[in-house]
Amino acid sequence: MTTHRIQVMVCTGTGCVSNHAFEIRDAFEREIKKNNLQTEAAVITTGCNGFCGAGPLVVVQPDGIFYQLLKVSDIPHLVAEHFLKGRPVKKLMYIPPEEKTPIPKMSEIPFFADQTLIALRNRGMIDPEKIEDYIGRGGYKAIAKVLTSMKPEEVVTEIKASGLRGRGGGGFPTGVKWESCKKAHGTAKYVICNADEGDPGAFMDRSIVEGDPHSVIEGMLIGAYAIENVTQGFIYVRMQYPLAIHRFEVAIKQAREYGLLGKNIFDKGFDFDIEIRRGAGAFVCGESTALMTSIEGKVGEPRAKYIHTVEKGLWDCPTCLNNVETWANVPQIILKGAKWFSSIGTGDVSVDPWGGSKGTKVFSLAGKVNNTGLVEVPMGITMRDIIYKVGGGIPEGKKFKAVQTGGPSGGFIPETLLDLPVDYEELAKVGSMMGSGGMLVTDEENCMVDMAKYFLSFTQDESCGKCIPCREGTKRMLDILDKITMGKGSEEDLVMLEELSSMVVESSLCALGGSAPNPVLTSMKYFREEYEAHVRDKKCPAHVCKPLIKYSIDENVCIQVGHGCDVCRKQCIDNAIIGEKNQAHRIDPSKCGKCGICYDVCKFDAIHIE
């Protein structure tokens, strides 16, 4: 880490980069040079800070002053005021919704204050492209400890005792998986990091890689040593994540240069190296058997798991696959101990590794919530605390409707279950799942039938087509949802939808197909009245499904309150509004495309939606 008086930590996660973070970095460097501050102030690019909705953002250390939504034009003033005059710029700080007073320090912003960081422990603190920064914060101490003072079986025992479960979706106990792979017969074994995060709205793993790639590499090193007979690891990451691939490439190169990958690591006779395999972006390749098939150079399709991959996986050799977040947790467990890790979370894993959910979980918090971004919270926290304390609640004071967890195959959780503790078992009980960590919040303006259709259209489109229940069953389900949202559905369709969902769940080849109906099943369970309104009354209560809504103008309000302002007619892209300035207006339904522009521009509440 730099010893400069001021350290400007510029977030260069994908979200901030897309909002010109590199231009912000360059502007800081120019202004620092212009003001002869090179010996006092250093600009450091970091991985994702997590508060993605506030980007591009910068944290000025050592005081931890947080600046958000920066523009290049803000930087000269910021440098002059803060760096030269010692006056942090309030107008560029974070202001909580519906408040006027800014919060200067990052640590005092609720979004950050209520998080517990393990996998994201180096978030915003290091340059992900400098191995020295990672080492400076304790990086590679865990592998040093393992190689110099622990036997492989002791490492497995420690991971089992910690209660760490796979963060990729299934929640399988990591230590048990390692132990099974260790016991499997085979002279060659492999470890794999699944970085093929394809869920819409999910960016947990990608952000960890972009911000702290060495933590993943160190976790894989420890796993390879513990399982034994593993000299080769693979990182499977999709082509659509160029920044993550770049940072993995840089990290692997640096680790090799430091003797942390390759032959005779730490002079302990331990050989291990890692290669990157790029996926084409198929959602199904996030499934373990499909991923391994893809690494082998074949079409990425799942297979039945009559024989587990820990016994016959990659090239029919014993293979241990964990996702990015799981691997990133491992070094901290080794350094701080299983007892420390298992003290966080729910349940008791001292006897049964399935007995609880331990540690933390990283979620990508998105949708209708004030603070969107990447959050890491302890297992057992309530959904309400995540959405209202960390997330800052629902924008514009609107009413919360549901939260969907687990990505496109996850279920919807209604308001009545907001106090549900978040862990593997509790989520499964209500029809949802942890998944890899997607968390999408909806409000009163979301139609649950439309939301179910959206997620099912994704999983249907991404079905590999190998098994009939997934390929044809989800297609037929999507046809029915289309019919319902078009106003052509019947009550018999609802029965058929439930029957088809059960069939797909029970008979699909892989977990992706088997979980695809979850959004439909949970939305029908908790919001059945919305389905019934669509099929019985031919209405969409949330006013989302266009064929089921109608726009009209209250002519009395239009002329008496709005005085026929004529704004709606001028903005109408369909020329569907009839009237002239200072006269009452009306809508020609035969021309109305139901775009909603008239509703948005009317300041007098004269436009109604039915």
Side-chain angles (χ1 to χ4, degrees):
M1 298 290 289
T2 177
T3 57
H4 291 76
R5 177 175 66 86
I6 297 171
Q7 294 149 18
V8 186
M9 316 300 282
V10 182
C11 175
T12 56
T14 291
C16 281
V17 168
S18 66
N19 274 320
H20 309 290
F22 286 131
E23 287 89 333
I24 297 291
R25 176 200 60 188
D26 295 343
F28 269 111
E29 290 176 341
R30 282 196 304 272
E31 287 303 311
I32 287 171
K33 184 177 181 181
K34 179 181 173 184
N35 290 281
N36 294 317
L37 291 170
Q38 299 96 316
T39 59
E40 297 184 58
V43 180
I44 300 165
T45 53
T46 73
C48 180
N49 173 286
F51 204 172
C52 305
L57 54 87
V58 161
V59 180
V60 179
Q61 298 290 9
D63 296 328
I65 305 298
F66 182 88
Y67 291 117
Q68 65 165 5
L69 301 170
L70 292 174
K71 301 183 184 69
V72 170
S73 57
D74 295 325
I75 309 309
H77 178 66
L78 192 156
V79 170
E81 286 294 306
H82 189 160
F83 298 178
L84 290 176
K85 300 175 184 176
R87 300 189 301 218
V89 183
K90 291 183 179 180
K91 70 176 184 180
L92 299 177
M93 296 175 182
Y94 170 76
I95 301 175
E98 301 179 9
E99 293 186 23
K100 295 181 179 178
T101 305
I103 300 177
K105 292 191 176 184
M106 186 177 86
S107 59
E108 295 172 356
I109 297 173
F111 177 81
F112 296 103
D114 292 311
Q115 296 190 45
T116 301
L117 304 185
I118 298 177
L120 299 177
R121 57 193 176 277
N122 292 323
R123 179 175 70 184
M125 300 299 292
I126 63 172
D127 183 339
E129 298 192 20
K130 290 184 177 177
I131 190 172
E132 298 84 359
D133 281 13
Y134 181 70
I135 292 173
R137 288 185 51 84
Y140 291 110
K141 275 187 178 177
I143 184 63
K145 176 182 176 180
V146 160
L147 290 178
T148 58
S149 65
M150 296 178 75
K151 296 177 181 176
E153 52 271 24
E154 291 176 332
V155 179
V156 172
T157 300
E158 192 73 1
I159 298 299
K160 279 179 68 178
S162 73
L164 175 65
R165 292 168 67 171
R167 301 306 199 232
F172 195 89
T174 304
V176 175
K177 179 182 279 190
W178 288 18
E179 186 175 56
S180 299
C181 193
K182 183 180 180 67
K183 290 179 178 176
H185 297 292
T187 53
K189 300 180 182 181
Y190 299 99
V191 295
I192 296 176
C193 172
N194 183 355
D196 193 65
E197 186 177 54
D199 302 8
F203 47 91
M204 302 78 58
D205 289 349
R206 186 187 69 198
S207 296
I208 292 173
V209 173
E210 291 176 356
D212 197 9
H214 287 286
S215 67
V216 180
I217 293 172
E218 188 175 10
M220 294 178 71
L221 273 160
I222 294 167
Y225 172 76
I227 293 167
E228 296 187 286
N229 294 326
V230 181
T231 59
Q232 184 65 57
F234 293 96
I235 293 170
Y236 189 86
V237 55
R238 54 180 49 209
M239 285 291 292
Q240 291 81 0
Y241 290 177
L243 187 58
I245 292 172
H246 168 71
R247 289 191 172 154
F248 259 142
E249 288 174 337
V250 171
I252 289 171
K253 181 174 182 290
Q254 291 174 342
R256 286 173 181 157
E257 290 170 353
Y258 272 67
L260 295 164
L261 287 175
K263 299 287 186 182
N264 196 24
I265 298 168
F266 277 81
D267 291 327
K268 293 296 178 182
F270 172 55
D271 302 339
F272 180 69
D273 210 339
I274 295 174
E275 293 182 14
I276 296 173
R277 290 288 188 270
R278 297 166 177 77
F283 180 64
V284 74
C285 284
E287 197 275 340
S288 61
T289 59
L291 184 154
M292 292 180 198
T293 306
S294 178
I295 289 179
E296 292 172 354
K298 305 169 188 171
V299 174
E301 289 181 339
R303 64 165 173 79
K305 294 181 179 177
Y306 303 121
I307 302 175
H308 295 298
T309 54
V310 290
E311 297 175 2
K312 285 195 174 184
L314 193 60
W315 293 299
D316 283 339
C317 296
T319 304
C320 179
L321 179 146
N322 288 122
N323 85 329
V324 166
E325 187 182 343
T326 310
W327 289 120
N329 270 288
V330 169
Q332 287 295 287
I333 294 172
I334 295 298
L335 287 178
K336 295 188 175 182
K339 189 175 180 180
W340 161 78
F341 191 83
S342 63
S343 69
I344 305 167
T346 63
D348 181 1
V349 296
S350 59
V351 178
D352 177 7
W354 294 91
S357 300
K358 294 301 183 181
T360 57
K361 181 72 191 82
V362 180
F363 292 101
S364 56
L365 188 58
K368 303 289 187 63
V369 63
N370 278 311
N371 302 332
T372 58
L374 201 67
V375 303
E376 183 171 8
V377 290
M379 294 281 193
I381 188 175
T382 66
M383 202 65 79
R384 186 185 300 280
D385 280 349
I386 296 176
I387 295 170
Y388 284 93
K389 290 181 72 176
V390 179
I394 311 303
E396 301 174 13
K398 291 180 180 172
K399 185 175 172 55
F400 168 87
K401 178 175 276 188
V403 58
Q404 197 230 20
T405 66
S409 303
F412 292 103
I413 299 171
E415 185 178 18
T416 53
L417 296 173
L418 266 179
D419 291 314
L420 182 82
V422 176
D423 72 14
Y424 291 99
E425 280 67 35
E426 292 298 321
L427 290 175
K429 283 179 188 174
V430 298
S432 191
M433 61 183 184
M434 190 76 76
S436 58
M439 186 171 283
L440 182 73
V441 181
T442 65
D443 70 9
E444 57 189 315
E445 294 186 346
N446 289 109
C447 167
M448 301 314 292
V449 184
D450 182 68
M451 292 295 294
K453 188 175 80 169
Y454 167 77
F455 284 112
L456 190 68
S457 67
F458 175 84
T459 49
Q460 206 286 319
D461 191 48
E462 290 289 338
S463 172
C464 74
K466 187 173 183 178
C467 74
I468 293 175
C470 177
R471 184 185 68 228
E472 301 299 331
T474 57
K475 178 68 173 64
R476 180 63 185 129
M477 288 173 64
L478 189 57
D479 289 343
I480 293 174
L481 287 173
D482 265 332
K483 190 177 168 186
I484 292 172
T485 55
M486 292 290 289
K488 300 175 182 176
S490 65
E491 294 195 45
E492 289 73 21
D493 286 323
L494 300 185
V495 176
M496 179 61 76
L497 200 52
E498 289 176 313
E499 291 180 356
L500 279 169
S501 295
S502 298
M503 182 276 295
V504 174
V505 168
E506 293 171 5
S507 53
S508 289
L509 176 63
C510 76
L512 297 186
S515 58
N518 281 342
V520 177
L521 287 170
T522 51
S523 59
M524 292 188 76
K525 179 179 180 180
Y526 299 119
F527 300 94
R528 192 170 187 91
E529 70 280 2
E530 290 198 26
Y531 281 85
E532 291 172 347
H534 281 68
V535 300
R536 289 178 185 169
D537 307 328
K538 307 302 178 189
K539 290 185 177 179
C540 173
H543 301 149
V544 171
C545 301
K546 285 187 177 180
L548 300 179
I549 62 175
K550 183 176 78 172
Y551 286 86
S552 63
I553 297 177
D554 185 323
E555 296 186 25
N556 289 329
V557 175
C558 177
I559 190 65
Q560 293 175 11
V561 182
H563 305 293
C565 70
D566 206 33
V567 171
C568 61
R569 187 187 64 80
K570 291 178 179 176
Q571 296 291 327
C572 179
I573 59 175
D574 297 316
N575 293 319
I577 296 181
I578 302 167
E580 296 182 4
K581 191 171 178 60
N582 300 323
Q583 293 183 356
H585 291 56
R586 61 186 176 86
I587 296 175
D588 180 351
S590 67
K591 294 182 178 178
C592 179
K594 302 175 182 178
C595 65
I597 290 177
C598 58
Y599 182 84
D600 293 336
V601 299
C602 180
K603 298 178 180 178
F604 309 104
D605 294 328
I607 312 286
H608 294 172
I609 310 173
E610 300 173 22

